[in-house]
């Protein structure tokens, strides 16, 4: 082992014992999400808003067309926010849960000082133009935008972003092992049962994607140790 700046760096990183399945997010998926969210914050465009879109009741939804529907929604959200003078930055995670069915979690940038005006306006805009059933009492919501907690103006700091990232990483395989313990426990993630997702699970906008990060000289999160540190800045969520 080598000691560098107070950190212990192993010459050889132990490799997780992987259990690959379309039902679960891979470690590469978790790295992609963490790098996108962390880089967005560093460049001053923190991903503050959590937009969830439930596709179950959308008339046009077919799993083979999931990617195209996401692209259409992204274009609509981008156009809306850019008309407000806001740079559009996002990452997304696709999930499939029994009962709620296929859905997409987007994390996007909404400025704190414009949160209470823009969030309901964006929600209504997407309902109006994207073909979701009208909002009615007793019907499950088709989409919603939330912050860090009820009434908050989004995830405004690293700890809040990390909590959201842990939540969005919950499709990790519950029996993937690292250092003789479940990887989920090592990372401070509470895994949840999910159905298969037969398309790309995690991605982000180009302005916080791999090419943009490389151009900026960003040091990627590449190891379980680095991912654990990002997901648990206070270390209070893990033992």
């Amino acid at each position: 082992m080598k000691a560098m700046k107070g950190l212990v760096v192993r010459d050889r990183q132990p490799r997780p014992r992987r259990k690959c399945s379309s039902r679960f997010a891979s470690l590469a998926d978790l790295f992609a999400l963490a790098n996108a969210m962390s880089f967005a914050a560093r460049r001053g465009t923190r991903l503050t808003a959590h937009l969830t879109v439930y596709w179950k009741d959308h008339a046009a939804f077919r799993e083979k067309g999931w990617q195209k529907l996401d692209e259409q929604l992204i274009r609509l959200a981008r156009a809306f926010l850019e008309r407000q003078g806001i740079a559009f930055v996002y990452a997304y995670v696709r999930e499939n849960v029994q009962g709620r069915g296929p859905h997409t979690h987007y994390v996007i940038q909404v400025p704190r000082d414009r949160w209470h005006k823009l969030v309901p306006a964006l929600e209504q805009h997407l309902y109006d133009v994207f073909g979701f059933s009208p909002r009615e009492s007793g019907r499950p919501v088709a989409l919603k935008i939330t912050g860090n907690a009820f009434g908050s103006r989004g995830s405004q700091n690293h700890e809040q972003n990390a909590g959201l990232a842990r939540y969005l990483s919950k499709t990790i395989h519950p029996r993937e092992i690292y250092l003789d313990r479940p990887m989920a426990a090592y990372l401070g993630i509470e895994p949840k049962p999910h159905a298969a997702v037969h398309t790309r699970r995690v991605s982000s906008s180009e302005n916080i994607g791999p090419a943009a990060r490389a151009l900026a000289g960003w040091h990627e999160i590449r190891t379980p140790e680095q991912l654990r540190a990002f997901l648990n800045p206070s270390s209070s969520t893990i033992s």
Side-chain angles (χ1 to χ4, degrees):
M1 296 184 181
K2 303 174 185 177
M4 298 178 62
K5 296 183 179 179
L7 298 178
V8 175
V9 181
R10 293 179 176 86
D11 292 327
R12 290 187 178 182
Q13 292 288 340
R15 294 185 177 182
R17 298 204 296 273
R18 298 171 186 262
K19 294 179 178 292
C20 296
S21 168
S22 58
R23 289 178 55 203
F24 305 105
S26 68
L27 196 58
D29 290 329
L30 272 58
F31 287 149
L33 178 65
N35 278 301
M37 294 184 70
S38 185
F39 182 66
R42 179 63 62 89
R43 70 193 288 270
T45 53
R46 184 181 297 278
L47 303 180
T48 56
H50 178 197
L51 165 62
T52 307
V53 180
Y54 299 97
W55 299 110
K56 181 179 178 181
D57 296 324
H58 193 284
F61 181 79
R62 304 291 185 275
E63 187 160 6
K64 288 185 178 180
W66 194 343
Q67 174 77 26
K68 289 185 177 180
L69 282 174
D70 274 326
E71 289 172 354
Q72 291 173 22
L73 189 137
I74 286 167
R75 284 196 296 271
L76 289 169
R78 178 192 300 274
F80 177 89
L81 289 172
E82 288 183 346
R83 285 196 298 271
Q84 313 301 320
I86 300 168
F88 190 61
V89 186
Y90 71 86
Y92 69 68
V93 178
R94 295 185 177 122
E95 294 182 354
N96 190 0
V97 179
Q98 187 174 2
R100 299 313 300 266
H103 56 281
T104 308
H105 296 283
Y106 307 86
V107 278
I108 63 176
Q109 180 200 198
V110 176
R112 177 182 176 86
D113 60 348
R114 303 173 68 185
W115 178 274
H116 291 308
K117 179 179 179 180
L118 287 179
V119 164
L122 177 58
E123 277 188 349
Q124 191 59 55
H125 175 69
L126 293 175
Y127 260 103
D128 290 344
V129 302
F130 203 72
F132 290 109
S133 300
R135 287 190 262 197
E136 299 174 0
S137 177
R139 285 182 63 92
V141 295
L143 67 89
K144 61 181 180 180
I145 303 175
T146 57
N148 183 58
F150 180 77
S152 77
R153 298 183 183 184
S155 298
Q156 298 296 333
N157 57 49
H158 185 178
E159 288 201 1
Q160 292 171 353
N161 258 182
L164 179 55
R166 289 195 305 274
Y167 173 76
L168 295 178
S169 300
K170 63 186 179 296
T171 54
I172 186 174
H173 201 300
R175 292 192 295 276
E176 183 168 344
I177 301 300
Y178 184 67
L179 298 177
D180 298 321
R181 65 188 296 194
M183 175 68 84
Y186 177 78
L187 296 175
I189 296 168
E190 185 177 348
K192 301 289 185 182
H194 284 74
V197 171
H198 300 290
T199 185
R200 187 173 187 174
R201 188 179 285 273
V202 176
S203 190
S204 63
S205 52
E206 289 185 1
N207 49 12
I208 57 171
R213 298 196 301 266
L215 187 62
W218 178 252
H219 296 293
E220 294 280 293
I221 296 170
R222 299 182 185 277
T223 69
E225 287 81 4
Q226 292 169 334
L227 182 59
R228 172 179 158 117
F230 168 76
L231 292 173
N232 304 276
S234 67
S235 299
S236 62
T237 56
I238 52 177
S239 57

